[in-house]
Amino acid sequence: MLYALIALAVATLADIISTIIALQRGFVEAAPVMRWIMSWAGSGWWVVKIVGTVLGAWALVRFIGDPVAIWAFAAGIGLVALWNLRLLVKQ
């Protein structure tokens, strides 16, 4: 479980960092909910992202308790970070 949570933390940081770089280069957030959070929270959107990820991880641990769920969560966020990097490299 610990390694899955570490993977989730790394994936989340990669997503946040790649999103910040993309936004600085003129890209626009594609996810409507995240775009709304960014407009609502301003430059502190990444704090909301971390809190949401922590709450999501807590819910998975509390209600499912299977590390595979955390790994899947980490993989999903990691894929978003990879997508961001793909867009940045293509630019």
Side-chain angles (χ1 to χ4, degrees):
M1 179 80 68
L2 177 62
Y3 292 127
L5 291 170
I6 291 170
L8 179 59
V10 170
T12 301
L13 289 176
D15 179 26
I16 290 169
I17 291 167
S18 63
T19 299
I20 289 171
I21 293 168
L23 292 172
Q24 289 174 342
R25 293 188 182 177
F27 287 90
V28 176
E29 175 61 45
V33 172
M34 199 64 219
R35 193 169 45 244
W36 178 83
I37 289 170
M38 288 175 166
S39 69
W40 173 76
S43 61
W45 64 267
W46 58 273
V47 175
V48 178
K49 169 89 172 173
I50 290 173
V51 169
T53 301
V54 168
L55 290 174
W58 173 84
L60 289 173
V61 169
R62 172 74 172 87
F63 298 110
I64 296 176
D66 187 347
V68 173
I70 302 295
W71 282 110
F73 192 20
I77 293 175
L79 288 173
V80 171
L82 287 174
W83 181 263
N84 290 346
L85 291 175
R86 179 182 167 273
L87 291 174
L88 290 170
V89 168
K90 285 178 68 175
Q91 184 183 26

